Amino acid sequence: MDKNQQGANPAVPRHVAIIMDGNNRWAKKRLLPGVAGHKAGVDAVRAVIEVCAEAGVEVLTLFAFSSENWQRPADEVSALMELFLGALRREARRLDQNDIRLRIIGDRSRFHPELQAAMREAEQLTSTHQKFVLQVAANYGGQWDITQAAQRLAREVQAGHLQVDDISPQLLQSCLVTGDLPLPDLCIRTGGEHRISNFLLWQIAYAELYFSDLFWPDFKHEAMRKALADFAKRQRRFGKTSEQLEAEARAKC
């Protein structure tokens, strides 16, 4: 997939990244256990995929489980792992039928071997699809991502395959786990919080940020369409002035 940020329709983001926040608070508000919120959030995932695919978005990245989430209560983590395993087995065929490719990014080494195997199987089942890419960040952290890219380049230097002066932002970016995909154009966080929380730190340097007060299970079709409509109204300057962009637009006419 072409990594160029300039898509065919600049009003539609090529890559949308979402921090799915508020599952626990959604459940607590309803006097339910926290895992009930995560289960309810699966419907929101389906809704957002539908809207993005219909709008022409090429890549959707969902922050499912951060490297910091291991610090949560052990019973909650265990329930999340069971939910993740079940969702992989249940949803992989649905993704396959809808020509959607699944990719899972993050450090898989800490997951149970059964879950790692399910990840590989789901990815393999959908590996040839080109219509839409669903990327799930699991045991992922932006700092980890940049670190593993730096380590990869350091090994190349150590082996004599690369000179230190050859390392550029573009080269490091290509070594990130998302290096073969377009950078996120729009980053959404639900749940009313206004933090990035170690998500795609390098990749969202120029992404438009959108914050919603809705808890993730309530972020469905209408909310996603509203976020895309808000993005379409923004002018993305990438360091240039509005006048420069307007002049460039006139020159293309």
Side-chain angles (χ1 to χ4, degrees), residues 1-8 14-15 58 173 179-185 236 238:
M1 188 174 288
D2 183 7
K3 290 180 282 186
N4 190 332
Q5 281 298 95
Q6 200 64 33
R14 295 185 67 190
H15 184 168
E58 299 173 26
Q173 181 175 303
D180 60 330
L181 296 175
L183 294 171
D185 300 295
R236 306 187 71 202
F238 296 102

PDB file of all heavy atoms in Angstrom, residues 1-8 14-15 58 173 179-185 236 238:
ATOM      1  N   MET A   1       0.850  -1.200   0.000  1.00  0.00           N
ATOM      2  CA  MET A   1       0.000   0.000   0.000  1.00  0.00           C
ATOM      3  C   MET A   1       0.883   1.247   0.000  1.00  0.00           C
ATOM      4  O   MET A   1       1.860   1.330   0.722  1.00  0.00           O
ATOM      5  CB  MET A   1      -0.915  -0.007   1.222  1.00  0.00           C
ATOM      6  CG  MET A   1      -1.958   1.088   1.222  1.00  0.00           C
ATOM      7  SD  MET A   1      -3.129   0.914   2.599  1.00  0.00           S
ATOM      8  CE  MET A   1      -4.063  -0.504   2.066  1.00  0.00           C
ATOM      9  N   ASP A   2       0.527   2.205  -0.854  1.00  0.00           N
ATOM     10  CA  ASP A   2       1.301   3.441  -0.973  1.00  0.00           C
ATOM     11  C   ASP A   2       1.272   4.215   0.328  1.00  0.00           C
ATOM     12  O   ASP A   2       0.220   4.440   0.911  1.00  0.00           O
ATOM     13  CB  ASP A   2       0.689   4.287  -2.103  1.00  0.00           C
ATOM     14  CG  ASP A   2       1.461   5.572  -2.357  1.00  0.00           C
ATOM     15  OD1 ASP A   2       2.533   5.728  -1.759  1.00  0.00           O
ATOM     16  OD2 ASP A   2       0.983   6.382  -3.159  1.00  0.00           O
ATOM     17  N   LYS A   3       2.447   4.632   0.792  1.00  0.00           N
ATOM     18  CA  LYS A   3       2.537   5.344   2.071  1.00  0.00           C
ATOM     19  C   LYS A   3       2.327   6.843   1.912  1.00  0.00           C
ATOM     20  O   LYS A   3       2.326   7.585   2.880  1.00  0.00           O
ATOM     21  CB  LYS A   3       3.898   5.075   2.721  1.00  0.00           C
ATOM     22  CG  LYS A   3       4.059   3.662   3.214  1.00  0.00           C
ATOM     23  CD  LYS A   3       5.402   3.446   3.836  1.00  0.00           C
ATOM     24  CE  LYS A   3       6.482   3.271   2.812  1.00  0.00           C
ATOM     25  NZ  LYS A   3       7.781   2.910   3.407  1.00  0.00           N
ATOM     26  N   ASN A   4       2.194   7.322   0.667  1.00  0.00           N
ATOM     27  CA  ASN A   4       1.999   8.749   0.430  1.00  0.00           C
ATOM     28  C   ASN A   4       0.782   9.249   1.186  1.00  0.00           C
ATOM     29  O   ASN A   4      -0.285   8.646   1.149  1.00  0.00           O
ATOM     30  CB  ASN A   4       1.805   8.988  -1.079  1.00  0.00           C
ATOM     31  CG  ASN A   4       1.824  10.461  -1.446  1.00  0.00           C
ATOM     32  OD1 ASN A   4       1.481  11.307  -0.636  1.00  0.00           O
ATOM     33  ND2 ASN A   4       2.231  10.742  -2.656  1.00  0.00           N
ATOM     34  N   GLN A   5       0.921  10.373   1.899  1.00  0.00           N
ATOM     35  CA  GLN A   5      -0.175  10.908   2.691  1.00  0.00           C
ATOM     36  C   GLN A   5      -1.280  11.521   1.840  1.00  0.00           C
ATOM     37  O   GLN A   5      -2.380  11.731   2.313  1.00  0.00           O
ATOM     38  CB  GLN A   5       0.353  11.972   3.654  1.00  0.00           C
ATOM     39  CG  GLN A   5       1.031  11.415   4.885  1.00  0.00           C
ATOM     40  CD  GLN A   5       0.099  10.591   5.727  1.00  0.00           C
ATOM     41  OE1 GLN A   5       0.037   9.376   5.607  1.00  0.00           O
ATOM     42  NE2 GLN A   5      -0.655  11.211   6.587  1.00  0.00           N
ATOM     43  N   GLN A   6      -1.015  11.850   0.602  1.00  0.00           N
ATOM     44  CA  GLN A   6      -1.992  12.561  -0.201  1.00  0.00           C
ATOM     45  C   GLN A   6      -2.878  11.561  -0.915  1.00  0.00           C
ATOM     46  O   GLN A   6      -2.497  10.986  -1.924  1.00  0.00           O
ATOM     47  CB  GLN A   6      -1.284  13.467  -1.225  1.00  0.00           C
ATOM     48  CG  GLN A   6      -2.167  14.582  -1.774  1.00  0.00           C
ATOM     49  CD  GLN A   6      -2.599  15.563  -0.701  1.00  0.00           C
ATOM     50  OE1 GLN A   6      -1.876  15.822   0.234  1.00  0.00           O
ATOM     51  NE2 GLN A   6      -3.788  16.112  -0.854  1.00  0.00           N
ATOM     52  N   GLY A   7      -4.048  11.291  -0.406  1.00  0.00           N
ATOM     53  CA  GLY A   7      -4.954  10.334  -1.003  1.00  0.00           C
ATOM     54  C   GLY A   7      -5.739  10.935  -2.152  1.00  0.00           C
ATOM     55  O   GLY A   7      -5.617  12.112  -2.486  1.00  0.00           O
ATOM     56  N   ALA A   8      -6.584  10.092  -2.787  1.00  0.00           N
ATOM     57  CA  ALA A   8      -7.372  10.551  -3.924  1.00  0.00           C
ATOM     58  C   ALA A   8      -8.374  11.620  -3.500  1.00  0.00           C
ATOM     59  O   ALA A   8      -8.655  12.548  -4.240  1.00  0.00           O
ATOM     60  CB  ALA A   8      -8.097   9.359  -4.550  1.00  0.00           C
ATOM     61  N   ARG A  14      -7.076   8.616   4.850  1.00  0.00           N
ATOM     62  CA  ARG A  14      -6.673   7.293   4.377  1.00  0.00           C
ATOM     63  C   ARG A  14      -6.542   6.337   5.553  1.00  0.00           C
ATOM     64  O   ARG A  14      -6.831   5.155   5.427  1.00  0.00           O
ATOM     65  CB  ARG A  14      -5.330   7.376   3.629  1.00  0.00           C
ATOM     66  CG  ARG A  14      -5.369   8.192   2.350  1.00  0.00           C
ATOM     67  CD  ARG A  14      -4.022   8.107   1.629  1.00  0.00           C
ATOM     68  NE  ARG A  14      -3.783   6.736   1.138  1.00  0.00           N
ATOM     69  CZ  ARG A  14      -2.618   6.335   0.643  1.00  0.00           C
ATOM     70  NH1 ARG A  14      -1.577   7.153   0.608  1.00  0.00           N
ATOM     71  NH2 ARG A  14      -2.472   5.101   0.207  1.00  0.00           N
ATOM     72  N   HIS A  15      -6.072   6.864   6.681  1.00  0.00           N
ATOM     73  CA  HIS A  15      -5.793   6.020   7.846  1.00  0.00           C
ATOM     74  C   HIS A  15      -6.413   6.684   9.077  1.00  0.00           C
ATOM     75  O   HIS A  15      -6.100   7.830   9.392  1.00  0.00           O
ATOM     76  CB  HIS A  15      -4.271   5.875   8.000  1.00  0.00           C
ATOM     77  CG  HIS A  15      -3.842   4.952   9.090  1.00  0.00           C
ATOM     78  ND1 HIS A  15      -2.535   4.517   9.224  1.00  0.00           N
ATOM     79  CD2 HIS A  15      -4.518   4.378  10.133  1.00  0.00           C
ATOM     80  CE1 HIS A  15      -2.428   3.714  10.264  1.00  0.00           C
ATOM     81  NE2 HIS A  15      -3.631   3.626  10.843  1.00  0.00           N
ATOM     82  N   GLU A  58      -8.798   3.615   4.065  1.00  0.00           N
ATOM     83  CA  GLU A  58      -8.020   2.445   3.669  1.00  0.00           C
ATOM     84  C   GLU A  58      -7.537   1.620   4.860  1.00  0.00           C
ATOM     85  O   GLU A  58      -7.429   0.391   4.765  1.00  0.00           O
ATOM     86  CB  GLU A  58      -6.811   2.875   2.839  1.00  0.00           C
ATOM     87  CG  GLU A  58      -7.172   3.589   1.547  1.00  0.00           C
ATOM     88  CD  GLU A  58      -5.952   4.149   0.848  1.00  0.00           C
ATOM     89  OE1 GLU A  58      -4.845   3.610   1.044  1.00  0.00           O
ATOM     90  OE2 GLU A  58      -6.106   5.124   0.102  1.00  0.00           O
ATOM     91  N   GLN A 173      11.170   5.522  10.198  1.00  0.00           N
ATOM     92  CA  GLN A 173       9.721   5.328  10.051  1.00  0.00           C
ATOM     93  C   GLN A 173       9.417   4.011   9.350  1.00  0.00           C
ATOM     94  O   GLN A 173       8.461   3.315   9.702  1.00  0.00           O
ATOM     95  CB  GLN A 173       9.128   6.491   9.261  1.00  0.00           C
ATOM     96  CG  GLN A 173       7.620   6.419   9.067  1.00  0.00           C
ATOM     97  CD  GLN A 173       7.095   7.658   8.386  1.00  0.00           C
ATOM     98  OE1 GLN A 173       7.291   8.772   8.860  1.00  0.00           O
ATOM     99  NE2 GLN A 173       6.442   7.485   7.262  1.00  0.00           N
ATOM    100  N   GLY A 179       5.265   0.575   9.200  1.00  0.00           N
ATOM    101  CA  GLY A 179       6.098   1.250   8.205  1.00  0.00           C
ATOM    102  C   GLY A 179       5.678   1.097   6.763  1.00  0.00           C
ATOM    103  O   GLY A 179       6.075   1.903   5.914  1.00  0.00           O
ATOM    104  N   ASP A 180       4.882   0.093   6.431  1.00  0.00           N
ATOM    105  CA  ASP A 180       4.460  -0.115   5.043  1.00  0.00           C
ATOM    106  C   ASP A 180       3.074   0.469   4.759  1.00  0.00           C
ATOM    107  O   ASP A 180       2.537   0.276   3.670  1.00  0.00           O
ATOM    108  CB  ASP A 180       4.456  -1.607   4.726  1.00  0.00           C
ATOM    109  CG  ASP A 180       3.511  -2.395   5.624  1.00  0.00           C
ATOM    110  OD1 ASP A 180       3.305  -1.981   6.779  1.00  0.00           O
ATOM    111  OD2 ASP A 180       2.970  -3.424   5.166  1.00  0.00           O
ATOM    112  N   LEU A 181       2.516   1.187   5.721  1.00  0.00           N
ATOM    113  CA  LEU A 181       1.172   1.740   5.568  1.00  0.00           C
ATOM    114  C   LEU A 181       1.204   3.266   5.598  1.00  0.00           C
ATOM    115  O   LEU A 181       2.154   3.862   6.119  1.00  0.00           O
ATOM    116  CB  LEU A 181       0.262   1.250   6.700  1.00  0.00           C
ATOM    117  CG  LEU A 181      -0.009  -0.250   6.750  1.00  0.00           C
ATOM    118  CD1 LEU A 181      -0.826  -0.595   7.990  1.00  0.00           C
ATOM    119  CD2 LEU A 181      -0.733  -0.728   5.500  1.00  0.00           C
ATOM    120  N   PRO A 182       0.162   3.917   5.063  1.00  0.00           N
ATOM    121  CA  PRO A 182       0.105   5.384   5.173  1.00  0.00           C
ATOM    122  C   PRO A 182       0.015   5.801   6.638  1.00  0.00           C
ATOM    123  O   PRO A 182      -0.561   5.086   7.464  1.00  0.00           O
ATOM    124  CB  PRO A 182      -1.165   5.766   4.406  1.00  0.00           C
ATOM    125  CG  PRO A 182      -1.981   4.516   4.365  1.00  0.00           C
ATOM    126  CD  PRO A 182      -1.002   3.378   4.325  1.00  0.00           C
ATOM    127  N   LEU A 183       0.579   6.950   6.947  1.00  0.00           N
ATOM    128  CA  LEU A 183       0.509   7.469   8.312  1.00  0.00           C
ATOM    129  C   LEU A 183      -0.931   7.835   8.664  1.00  0.00           C
ATOM    130  O   LEU A 183      -1.715   8.189   7.780  1.00  0.00           O
ATOM    131  CB  LEU A 183       1.406   8.696   8.462  1.00  0.00           C
ATOM    132  CG  LEU A 183       2.905   8.462   8.320  1.00  0.00           C
ATOM    133  CD1 LEU A 183       3.643   9.795   8.269  1.00  0.00           C
ATOM    134  CD2 LEU A 183       3.429   7.615   9.469  1.00  0.00           C
ATOM    135  N   PRO A 184      -1.297   7.768   9.927  1.00  0.00           N
ATOM    136  CA  PRO A 184      -2.660   8.161  10.312  1.00  0.00           C
ATOM    137  C   PRO A 184      -2.938   9.626   9.981  1.00  0.00           C
ATOM    138  O   PRO A 184      -2.108  10.492  10.228  1.00  0.00           O
ATOM    139  CB  PRO A 184      -2.675   7.931  11.827  1.00  0.00           C
ATOM    140  CG  PRO A 184      -1.594   6.931  12.077  1.00  0.00           C
ATOM    141  CD  PRO A 184      -0.534   7.247  11.069  1.00  0.00           C
ATOM    142  N   ASP A 185      -4.093   9.863   9.399  1.00  0.00           N
ATOM    143  CA  ASP A 185      -4.545  11.223   9.122  1.00  0.00           C
ATOM    144  C   ASP A 185      -5.422  11.745  10.260  1.00  0.00           C
ATOM    145  O   ASP A 185      -5.468  12.939  10.522  1.00  0.00           O
ATOM    146  CB  ASP A 185      -5.365  11.253   7.829  1.00  0.00           C
ATOM    147  CG  ASP A 185      -4.567  10.777   6.639  1.00  0.00           C
ATOM    148  OD1 ASP A 185      -3.594  11.451   6.274  1.00  0.00           O
ATOM    149  OD2 ASP A 185      -4.912   9.720   6.077  1.00  0.00           O
ATOM    150  N   ARG A 236      -5.365  20.917   6.419  1.00  0.00           N
ATOM    151  CA  ARG A 236      -4.114  20.300   6.868  1.00  0.00           C
ATOM    152  C   ARG A 236      -2.955  20.994   6.156  1.00  0.00           C
ATOM    153  O   ARG A 236      -2.779  20.884   4.947  1.00  0.00           O
ATOM    154  CB  ARG A 236      -4.129  18.800   6.569  1.00  0.00           C
ATOM    155  CG  ARG A 236      -5.355  18.121   7.145  1.00  0.00           C
ATOM    156  CD  ARG A 236      -5.277  16.632   6.992  1.00  0.00           C
ATOM    157  NE  ARG A 236      -4.266  16.057   7.872  1.00  0.00           N
ATOM    158  CZ  ARG A 236      -3.692  14.883   7.665  1.00  0.00           C
ATOM    159  NH1 ARG A 236      -3.972  14.191   6.578  1.00  0.00           N
ATOM    160  NH2 ARG A 236      -2.793  14.425   8.516  1.00  0.00           N
ATOM    161  N   PHE A 238       0.554  20.997   7.166  1.00  0.00           N
ATOM    162  CA  PHE A 238       1.873  20.356   7.204  1.00  0.00           C
ATOM    163  C   PHE A 238       3.009  21.383   7.192  1.00  0.00           C
ATOM    164  O   PHE A 238       4.000  21.240   6.485  1.00  0.00           O
ATOM    165  CB  PHE A 238       2.041  19.388   6.030  1.00  0.00           C
ATOM    166  CG  PHE A 238       1.088  18.220   6.077  1.00  0.00           C
ATOM    167  CD1 PHE A 238      -0.050  18.206   5.269  1.00  0.00           C
ATOM    168  CD2 PHE A 238       1.310  17.144   6.927  1.00  0.00           C
ATOM    169  CE1 PHE A 238      -0.936  17.145   5.315  1.00  0.00           C
ATOM    170  CE2 PHE A 238       0.421  16.070   6.978  1.00  0.00           C
ATOM    171  CZ  PHE A 238      -0.704  16.081   6.164  1.00  0.00           C
TER     172      PHE A 238
END
